[in-house]
Amino acid sequence: MRLPRRRFERLVARALDGLPPAFASRLANVEILIKRRPSPADLRAAGLPPGETLFGLYEGVPLTERTSDYGLVLPDRITLFQEPLEDACATEGELAEEVRRTVIHEIAHFFGIDDRRLHELGAD
């Protein structure tokens, strides 16, 4: 399934709007991006070989790793990859749910929760 970019952006906005205020308020220096597909560099950053599926990518310094020296840095980034998400879903409803899950997954990385812990929590 394929959606126009604006419609996909609305799914992302809805996922962000659905975050609890306590989490959403902490995202002040986080940029949310949408790209069509992950680049080879994106796959390397995620530790994946070419050809693997990547729905989202967090790049930055997780809150749990910041020290008193942290400052004057560019915003952290969460990138969502539209086509892999669309490829994994048959309906717009499924896509909306997968976008929501991906947004939450990547925000969890911002808060310092790694993939192992997300798996333990059943949120991978």
Side-chain angles (χ1 to χ4, degrees), residues 3-62:
L3 291 182
R5 171 71 176 237
R6 290 253 190 244
R7 199 155 165 179
F8 187 82
E9 289 171 351
R10 283 194 297 269
L11 294 181
V12 173
R14 190 178 327 146
L16 291 166
D17 290 344
L19 294 173
F23 293 102
S25 66
R26 302 283 307 269
L27 299 176
N29 198 33
V30 177
E31 183 178 18
I32 308 295
L33 305 168
I34 297 170
K35 288 175 61 177
R36 296 295 300 157
R37 291 202 151 282
S39 68
D42 295 326
L43 293 172
R44 280 193 304 278
L48 297 175
E52 288 289 320
T53 298
L54 184 62
F55 291 165
L57 179 64
Y58 167 72
E59 296 172 286
V61 178

Side-chain angles (χ1 to χ4, degrees), residues 37-79:
R37 291 202 151 282
S39 68
D42 295 326
L43 293 172
R44 280 193 304 278
L48 297 175
E52 288 289 320
T53 298
L54 184 62
F55 291 165
L57 179 64
Y58 167 72
E59 296 172 286
V61 178
L63 292 178
T64 55
E65 295 178 19
R66 295 180 184 181
T67 66
S68 60
D69 293 334
Y70 183 83
L72 299 174
V73 297
L74 294 172
D76 290 12
R77 291 185 306 206
I78 292 174
T79 305

Side-chain angles (χ1 to χ4, degrees), residues 84-106:
L85 284 159
E86 290 171 336
D87 290 345
C89 301
T91 68
E92 190 169 336
E94 286 178 17
L95 180 59
E97 177 58 23
E98 193 59 52
V99 165
R100 187 187 72 76
R101 288 184 59 198
T102 302
V103 165
I104 290 169
H105 181 101
E106 300 310 327

